[in-house]
Amino acid sequence: MLKLVHLSDLHLVPPGNELHGLRPEAQLQRAVSHIVREHGDADLCVVSGDLTHDGHPLAYAEVARQLARLPMPVHLMIGNHDDRAAFAQAFPDAPRMPDGFVQQAIDTSAGRIILLDTHQAGAAEGRLCSARLAWLAERIEESGPAPVYLFVHHPPFPVGLKRMDDIRLADAEALWAVLAASRTRPRHLFVGHLHRAIAGSWRGLPFSGVRGTTHQIALDFKTAGFAPVSFEPPGYGVVLIDEDTVVVHFADIPDEG
Ligand SMILES: [Fe+2]
């Protein structure tokens, strides 16, 4: 049994500043304390992007300081709100491709976990390119018969939230072409970006996404042009994987104040 913590959308700003009336560094502290207390025995943690709100170096430094409290290995991704150069400065040891893409394959007892970088500088929507797609195809191919799990920040499908659908992964068909041509189809797709607990399937591929640790995005199917913020409880995912099942629990982080 593999136990994985799926954390996403931390949106840190320089400590002492507010974002949507919340203090993201205090929110992250709550999240980390909850994970340490309740799920400190997890085998690994993946943070699926938007580590910061605007890529500020002081925000990355705070992310690094707080995530260092987690007892399990932590694997970081970047999202549309991140800054590739500032991330690289703050996390010089984070695995990345020679051309700077923040992606890696992690081999575990449950199979291979692949983190794919969909960040495009200056864009809110996600993008892939031939280099990233070729890398993905190779990582899946070399995994052989082992199960594969894929993490992306941007979901490659619409979910009914108008603004979020506008800024989903723009190159979804290119991603699908790689997955469809691969010998091993991923068992599960994990997404960030949505700031919501969400699950379903895309062309038969099961997916899940989790709440952020600070503000959430409202379950509002009407508003277009911007994503209304909501103050539902923050959360994260606890994923249990064995030979037969991939189980995703959505953990709420209680307000201890
Ligand atoms: Fe986000």
Side-chain angles (χ1 to χ4, degrees):
M1 170 82 73
L2 184 86
K3 182 174 183 179
L4 180 155
V5 169
H6 179 192
L7 194 57
S8 199
D9 292 273
L10 318 179
H11 283 257
L12 263 279
V13 293
N17 292 281
E18 289 191 347
L19 178 67
H20 302 301
L22 299 170
R23 292 274 294 269
E25 85 275 19
Q27 297 287 111
L28 180 56
Q29 189 167 350
R30 269 171 69 181
V32 169
S33 295
H34 196 262
I35 294 168
V36 168
R37 192 171 68 238
E38 303 293 335
H39 301 291
D41 61 339
D43 296 290
L44 74 162
C45 172
V46 177
V47 191
S48 58
D50 284 359
L51 307 175
T52 68
H53 190 64
D54 53 13
H56 198 289
L58 292 176
Y60 282 112
E62 182 67 7
V63 170
R65 192 181 73 78
Q66 294 217 24
L67 293 183
R69 292 171 54 215
L70 289 172
M72 70 291 289
V74 179
H75 304 280
L76 304 177
M77 301 172 69
I78 59 173
N80 50 298
H81 281 270
D82 286 303
D83 180 278
R84 201 182 287 291
F87 172 84
Q89 285 231 314
F91 298 97
D93 298 329
R96 60 174 58 75
M97 291 172 64
D99 42 17
F101 294 118
V102 181
Q103 47 192 33
Q104 59 173 314
I106 306 156
D107 287 320
T108 73
S109 60
R112 169 164 280 199
I113 297 171
I114 298 177
L115 315 186
L116 183 65
D117 183 338
T118 57
H119 168 95
Q120 165 101 347
E125 77 269 21
R127 286 284 176 184
L128 289 168
C129 57
S130 54
R132 281 176 277 188
L133 289 163
W135 178 90
L136 173 64
E138 287 165 17
R139 297 294 80 74
I140 295 175
E141 181 63 26
E142 74 186 8
S143 73
V148 168
Y149 311 85
L150 181 61
F151 279 80
V152 288
H153 179 74
H154 294 82
F157 41 79
V159 299
L161 306 171
K162 288 189 166 67
R163 170 62 181 164
M164 300 313 290
D165 290 349
D166 288 344
I167 59 170
R168 67 187 189 269
L169 178 64
D171 297 311
E173 291 306 327
L175 172 61
W176 184 256
V178 168
L179 300 181
S182 296
R183 207 164 33 145
T184 307
R185 193 71 56 86
R187 277 183 89 190
H188 198 90
L189 175 67
F190 297 90
V191 303
H193 198 45
L194 296 172
H195 297 234
R196 296 209 58 81
I198 189 168
S201 65
W202 178 49
R203 298 175 181 173
L205 170 60
F207 73 80
S208 58
V210 295
R211 288 183 180 158
T213 57
T214 182
H215 62 283
Q216 313 309 327
I217 289 174
L219 188 62
D220 172 344
F221 297 134
K222 299 185 188 107
T223 303
F226 71 99
V229 161
S230 90
F231 298 98
E232 294 156 87
Y236 59 92
V238 181
V239 184
L240 305 175
I241 302 175
D242 68 13
E243 275 181 25
D244 293 332
T245 49
V246 177
V247 177
V248 180
H249 293 277
F250 298 107
D252 281 352
I253 304 165
D255 186 350
E256 284 152 0

